Amino acid sequence: MIAMIEDVMILFFNLLIFAQMITLKDQTRQKMFKLAAGCTVFFTAYGIAVYVFQFPMVLSSLLTMSLPSLVLFWLFSAFRDARFFLSFALADTLSLITASFSKYLSLFFPQGEIFFLGLTLLLFIALLVFANPYFQLLKTLMRQVEGGWTSMAVTAMLIYFVLGFIAAYPTPIAQRREYVPVFMAVCLLTFAFYLVVLHSLQKTQKIVEQNIQLQQEQKIYHIAYTDALTGLGNRAAYLERINQLERLRKNGISICCIELDMNGLKQVNDTLGHAAGDRALREIALALKTVFLCRQPDSVFRVGGDEFCVLLSDVDKAEATACLNQLKNQLKQSSQTLGFSLAAAAGVAWVQAEESIEATMIRADDQMYKNKRGEQHVSETEIETITS
């Protein structure tokens, strides 16, 4: 009778540990009831196999408990990959270590079986209380991190099978008392190893949370500094870039300011609709990205409805001329894509000594409007004409 209680208690706590470690797909009452009912059937089948039909305990445990519970929890698990098998191996390893400690300590007491029952109950309860925060941590990490669990699962399963092999081969270790201290030392080493792993997972969780927070901040930054229509930097990004370049001016770098204004956007909106106007703006933005962003990232901005700014550092007039000529070709290609003419007036100015970048942008803006009134487009204007 006591032997049966011992078996049932160990198996019960083993399933309870596994239930705490596994992440269920959903935890509705109906699902939990089915899970509990399945475990009850397994317990009953094990008892009948061992104590009615006198089947070997190891074989009965495998056929009526281990394999069926593995399939049952697999069906209810949210993860059907290495994370599931890692949880399974960890649960069985912890149960094996706890039950082994109780069993081997009870060998040295006169009332061994009674002592074993009490000690087993106490150790399993202590394990559940102590390890539960780590179980929840592991479940949280499994939800946050999808990859990288295969090697851990293989290692955990290997440790479990090695411990089981040592405990049972060639005869149960309870019959080889001289090896009990060695086996208990191996169990302690395994337990200590898992403690180190769990502490490492705790640090990993903090890193994962920091990465998630960083990604959220990057998304917020992107929203705050990006024009939604074109994907270019917006006015906030433009002002931030000016502040950066003002600091870099101390190193003596040259700064080129280009103001561009799309020609005929109102006419496009009035005749072809705002959707066509949006397509035109996106095509101009794409042309600007193609020409300038490959040279200097974070250099192109949409600062108004049809107004764009380019801020370049360490460029000369020859390079600026090449950029504007390339932009001219890009706009011609875009016109063919859109089916209507696409052009922009431009004004260019270099920052002079003792002059702020904002003041230079005003000069470039003035030049751009002069060119616009004179119907000079970026595709028609030489850089010497629009440079002051």
Side-chain angles (χ1 to χ4, degrees):
M1 183 64 180
I2 293 180
M4 182 177 68
I5 296 175
E6 292 175 357
D7 292 339
V8 171
M9 183 168 60
I10 292 173
L11 293 173
F12 170 78
F13 277 108
N14 185 25
L15 287 176
L16 188 58
I17 292 172
F18 189 43
Q20 279 197 328
M21 295 185 67
I22 194 173
T23 302
L24 299 178
K25 191 182 303 181
D26 54 69
Q27 298 189 11
T28 61
R29 286 188 176 182
Q30 184 180 11
K31 296 289 185 182
M32 298 302 292
F33 176 78
K34 290 180 179 179
L35 193 61
C39 292
T40 303
V41 171
F42 300 154
F43 276 115
T44 304
Y46 175 78
I48 293 174
V50 174
Y51 299 104
V52 176
F53 293 103
Q54 303 296 314
F55 288 161
M57 287 186 177
V58 175
L59 180 62
S60 299
S61 176
L62 178 65
L63 296 179
T64 64
M65 291 293 297
S66 298
L67 293 179
S69 64
L70 182 67
V71 174
L72 178 66
F73 280 101
W74 171 272
L75 294 175
F76 285 88
S77 175
F79 309 124
R80 297 180 179 179
D81 50 22
R83 289 171 287 186
F84 174 82
F85 293 102
L86 174 62
S87 300
F88 184 81
L90 284 174
D92 278 4
T93 301
L94 291 174
S95 298
L96 175 62
I97 291 174
T98 305
S100 297
F101 262 85
S102 300
K103 183 68 175 178
Y104 301 144
L105 286 175
S106 67
L107 295 175
F108 301 98
F109 291 86
Q111 301 295 328
E113 292 183 343
I114 302 297
F115 180 84
F116 171 71
L117 284 177
L119 184 60
T120 301
L121 180 63
L122 181 63
L123 287 179
F124 270 113
I125 292 175
L127 175 64
L128 289 171
V129 173
F130 173 76
N132 184 62
Y134 294 100
F135 294 161
Q136 301 307 316
L137 168 64
L138 183 61
K139 290 166 67 174
T140 300
L141 279 174
M142 286 181 175
R143 286 191 294 266
Q144 293 176 342
V145 182
E146 294 185 2
W149 298 100
T150 302
S151 58
M152 291 184 64
V154 172
T155 302
M157 294 180 71
L158 181 62
I159 290 173
Y160 171 66
F161 285 118
V162 168
L163 287 177
F165 180 80
I166 295 174
Y169 184 83
T171 57
I173 200 168
Q175 300 175 13
R176 297 173 287 149
R177 293 196 177 190
E178 66 276 14
Y179 293 106
V180 168
V182 176
F183 180 76
M184 293 178 70
V186 173
C187 289
L188 279 174
L189 182 62
T190 303
F191 192 72
F193 167 75
Y194 280 128
L195 279 179
V196 172
V197 171
L198 289 173
H199 281 293
S200 299
L201 289 176
Q202 196 170 26
K203 294 180 180 179
T204 302
Q205 185 194 27
K206 292 180 180 178
I207 295 174
V208 170
E209 290 175 350
Q210 290 172 354
N211 288 337
I212 293 174
Q213 183 179 358
L214 180 60
Q215 291 173 0
Q216 292 173 343
E217 291 174 353
Q218 288 174 340
K219 289 180 181 179
I220 294 172
Y221 179 89
H222 180 78
I223 293 171
Y225 286 86
T226 304
D227 176 64
L229 177 64
T230 63
L232 296 174
N234 59 15
R235 178 168 286 276
Y238 161 73
L239 295 175
E240 180 68 21
R241 181 58 178 162
I242 286 179
N243 292 331
Q244 293 175 355
L245 290 174
E246 287 286 6
R247 292 190 291 269
L248 290 175
R249 287 181 61 191
K250 298 177 181 179
N251 299 326
I253 65 170
S254 62
I255 298 173
C256 176
C257 303
I258 304 176
E259 284 276 357
L260 299 109
D261 187 272
M262 177 182 170
N263 292 323
L265 177 62
K266 185 177 185 303
Q267 184 179 1
V268 172
N269 287 332
D270 292 342
T271 58
L272 301 177
H274 288 277
D278 288 345
R279 288 199 304 273
L281 289 170
R282 283 194 289 265
E283 285 295 329
I284 287 184
L286 180 60
L288 290 169
K289 290 177 184 177
T290 303
V291 173
F292 293 104
L293 292 188
C294 62
R295 289 175 167 84
Q296 294 186 17
D298 302 324
S299 60
V300 184
F301 311 90
R302 183 188 178 201
V303 295
D306 56 357
E307 296 181 10
F308 301 86
C309 294
V310 181
L311 294 170
L312 301 174
S313 59
D314 274 339
V315 294
D316 54 24
K317 290 185 178 182
E319 187 174 358
T321 301
C323 288
L324 290 177
N325 287 333
Q326 185 182 354
L327 181 60
K328 164 187 171 181
N329 296 328
Q330 288 290 329
L331 292 179
K332 284 183 178 179
Q333 294 176 14
S334 299
S335 297
Q336 295 175 357
T337 301
L338 292 171
F340 55 83
S341 178
L342 189 64
V348 182
W350 267 263
V351 179
Q352 305 297 323
E354 306 301 327
E355 182 185 36
S356 68
I357 297 176
E358 284 281 11
T360 307
M361 293 301 297
I362 292 173
R363 289 196 293 112
D365 193 58
D366 290 340
Q367 185 64 55
M368 181 267 295
Y369 277 109
K370 289 179 182 178
N371 294 331
K372 192 176 183 72
R373 287 192 295 270
E375 296 183 352
Q376 289 181 324
H377 302 168
V378 71
S379 58
E380 303 170 354
T381 307
E382 295 296 331
I383 192 154
E384 288 81 10
T385 305
I386 57 177
T387 302
S388 58

